[in-house]
Amino acid sequence: MPPKFKRHLNDDEVTGSVKSERRNLLEEDSDEEEDFFLRGPSGPRFGPRNDKIRHVQSQVDEVIDVMQENITKVIERGERLDDLQDKSESLSDNATAFSNRAKQLRRQMWWRGCKV
């Protein structure tokens, strides 16, 4: 097709048409098989499977919660490590400055001793 006749559909138009098509299909009289494919499994014959799915889903939710807590703890630990690194760098700088000042003072005292 020539480019001037092409129409680009955005996601809203596509999902909107899918939803309206599904609604139209569900509003009309349909049999069980069509309902199954449009709405998903339901009813008593899918009960035990749904229980298993719910159980697995609850386990997955628990794992997600634990992982979110772990990620939060790792982030907090990283922040504490950054603070500790800053403090250690500051302490190292202060130690270097103290060492340099001690050397200067020792030299001054040596010269003073020589003068006396």
Side-chain angles (χ1 to χ4, degrees):
M1 247 202 280
K4 66 180 183 179
F5 293 111
K6 285 186 180 179
R7 180 173 180 229
H8 298 287
L9 298 176
N10 60 20
D11 291 338
D12 294 335
E13 292 175 329
V14 174
T15 55
S17 64
V18 169
K19 289 178 184 176
S20 65
E21 183 68 24
R22 179 178 287 179
R23 193 178 324 110
N24 289 338
L25 289 172
L26 288 173
E27 286 175 357
E28 296 174 7
D29 291 333
S30 60
D31 60 359
E32 255 183 62
E33 188 175 309
E34 288 176 355
D35 288 345
F36 173 81
F37 288 110
L38 293 174
R39 291 192 177 129
S42 63
R45 49 182 214 192
F46 298 107
R49 186 160 184 226
N50 279 341
D51 291 340
K52 289 180 183 179
I53 291 173
R54 282 190 205 113
H55 179 67
V56 170
Q57 184 63 43
S58 67
Q59 288 178 338
V60 168
D61 291 340
E62 289 175 16
V63 169
I64 289 172
D65 291 339
V66 169
M67 291 305 297
Q68 287 174 343
E69 289 175 18
N70 289 343
I71 290 171
T72 303
K73 288 178 182 178
V74 166
I75 290 171
E76 290 172 358
R77 180 176 177 257
E79 291 171 356
R80 287 194 310 260
L81 286 175
D82 289 340
D83 292 342
L84 185 60
Q85 184 178 1
D86 291 341
K87 288 178 182 178
S88 67
E89 287 174 359
S90 174
L91 186 60
S92 176
D93 293 341
N94 288 338
T96 303
F98 177 79
S99 176
N100 291 339
R101 181 69 181 128
K103 286 178 187 176
Q104 287 176 355
L105 185 60
R106 186 176 32 191
R107 287 184 190 132
Q108 284 178 354
M109 298 316 272
W110 183 79
W111 278 110
R112 209 177 264 174
C114 288
K115 290 179 185 177
V116 172

